[in-house]
Amino acid sequence: MSAAIENSPSPATVAPSRTYPRRASLAVLCAGTLMTVLDGNIVTVAMPAIQNDLGFSGAGLAWVVNAYLIAFGGLLLLLGRLGDLVGRKRMFTAGLAVFTAASVLCGAATGQGVLIAARALQGAGGAMASAVVLGMLVALFPEPREQARAIAVFSAVGAAGGALGTFLGGALTQALDWHWIFLINLPIGVAAWLAAVRVLAPERGAGLGRGADYPGAALVTGALMLTVYVIVGAGSRSPAATGLLAAAALALFAGFTLRQARAARPLLRLRLFRSRALSGANAVQMLMIATMYGFQFIGALYLQRVLGYGELATGTAFLPAPIAIGLLMLGLSARTVARFGGHRVLVAGLVLVAAGMALLGRAPTDGSYPLDVLPPLLLLSAGFAAAMPALTGLAMSGAREEDAGLASGLFNTTQVVGGSLGLASLSALAAARTETLVGRGEELIPATAAGYRLAFRVATGIAVAALVLAAAVLRTDGE
């Protein structure tokens, strides 16, 4: 790449002013993020109702989730870079429009094919909106203290939205029907789009000619989609088929890397990975999110299949998580990061996450919510509330302004891949352990609890690995 391109000024952006207030902009970005995060989780509780209504088989039903994840995870990196080139506001508002329209299609679906296709479109719209949000936040709040507070607010909304989705999915499905878990997005999406058009500062991107490497885009999008497909469907394929698909994904990644090293205008500047903060933060996030997704999914199954909770009761049981995360992130995270540094806060948060998972590792068959679920739930919430804003700040600190959209897309991509990997691997471990014990003659509920205990203990090991990596790699000057 020529020096003129490498050292060129960042894309022109209209600075926030009285016309484009930063707090209102932050609220709009958080609202859009909340809608996409909620929808990533809200569908899980409604799956039995969808299956009964549309006649899905067990394997077919998984595609209601998989179609969303493959489109979302596969497009984030590409769309993050395109946001830098065409303008992040354009990408964000277009994403809200696509996501809202796809939600209406999901809610109106009366057949399996329509619902799966609409879920894939939802994933694409969610990726468009999500890929550029962190880059927009960094541009809106360049001063470190303000940026830490903004990231804390954004992280609180995202983290709380994940847990709220479980509750709202149960409540809407039980009170109305499953169609409303999608139709509820229509008024929210329209309001968010109108506010985004009015409030967000206009900007012009660098232009497609500055980084539109279309062969590279095809390679990386195919590689990411295939990776997510391999992960989410690993349990339904033979090991040989999974191995072949994984090898194909690696080959696409290798081709993409070679292309970026030689392209005159690469989609992804490989120098981005020279940043220890960015590369290390993405690796730590992948491990941490794998742990948290495993907890959210397997924890819900433990409540339902071992302790006998219903859908609404399960969602209600998770409510302390978003409340604790929101209070801690908004009240303490920015202050603690500013006082102690992002590295120390991240390490402390990961210690709490590992401790919470270790407590869940005992998950008794005759357990009770106040004694066996709530204490680790609160530890995990506190740890995540501390770690996530610190981790986000460290990741984005390693990117230049002109690469902020790409770094944002990369951070969101590792989140999706980490979550999918944790969910697939931990649920497969739990199922295999349960099947083995049932085969030996053990009763179903004790065997199921034993499978979940194994998954929680493996998740504890993953959390410890994230802790060790963060302690070794992400230490900053003065810490």
Side-chain angles (χ1 to χ4, degrees), residues 95-107 118 121-122 185-186 189-190:
L96 290 180
V98 171
F99 186 90
T100 303
S103 296
V104 174
L105 290 176
C106 288
L121 187 61
Q122 256 195 327
N185 289 330
L186 177 59
V190 170

Side-chain angles (χ1 to χ4, degrees), residues 341-357:
H343 177 260
R344 291 192 182 98
V345 175
L346 171 61
V347 168
L350 289 172
V351 168
L352 293 177
V353 170
M357 290 305 306

